[in-house]
Structures are given as C-alpha cells and as structure tokens.
Amino acid sequence: MKVRVHVMLKTGVLDPQGEAVRHALGALGFEGVSSVRQGKVIELELAEGTSDETIGEMCEKLLANTVIESYRIEHI
C-alpha cells in the first residue's frame, strides 16, 4: 500500500522559504501572488494493512515537527 504524507507549517508560523518563492515569482513578472506556503510531500510504501494510527505515529515521531508543522495522510 502507498500513502502520501503532506507536511505544512502551521498557520501563524513564519515561512521564509515561501516568502522567498513569492518574491522570486514577482521578480520573474508573475504578479498577483500574495502568499506562498512551502511544505513537503513524503511517499511511503508500506505493508498492506498498516493502520492510520501507525502512520500517524511515524509522522509524530519523525516525519513532521508537530510543534510547528501539521500533516495530512493521503492513501494513494
């Protein structure tokens, strides 16, 4: 089974990488971009039947820094 874990900074946490992308887009002539939030996507191949609880533990312990990041699990 495959899952995708989407990790994003929580609302209210400054995103300097996202701000750099927003600025670069403006410098390239792409107007109208008022905000960019950058995150990461992690794809996992897991044994069939791996529970969402176990995947959540993986996220909590390693894949996301839950103090400043949130995550969403997507089955693919």
Side-chain angles (χ1 to χ4, degrees), residues 17-36:
Q17 288 180 314
E19 184 59 23
V21 170
R22 186 196 63 75
H23 179 70
L25 288 170
L28 291 171
F30 296 101
E31 297 181 19
V33 179
S34 60
S35 177
V36 175

Side-chain angles (χ1 to χ4, degrees), residues 13-67:
V13 175
L14 294 178
D15 185 353
Q17 288 180 314
E19 184 59 23
V21 170
R22 186 196 63 75
H23 179 70
L25 288 170
L28 291 171
F30 296 101
E31 297 181 19
V33 179
S34 60
S35 177
V36 175
R37 301 289 289 173
Q38 179 150 336
K40 58 188 170 189
V41 175
I42 303 163
E43 288 190 1
L44 303 170
E45 277 194 53
L46 303 168
E48 286 300 323
T50 302
S51 70
D52 280 354
E53 180 180 341
T54 298
I55 300 166
E57 285 182 48
M58 292 176 188
C59 294
E60 298 279 333
K61 292 182 178 181
L62 178 66
L63 302 178
N65 176 352
T66 56
V67 173

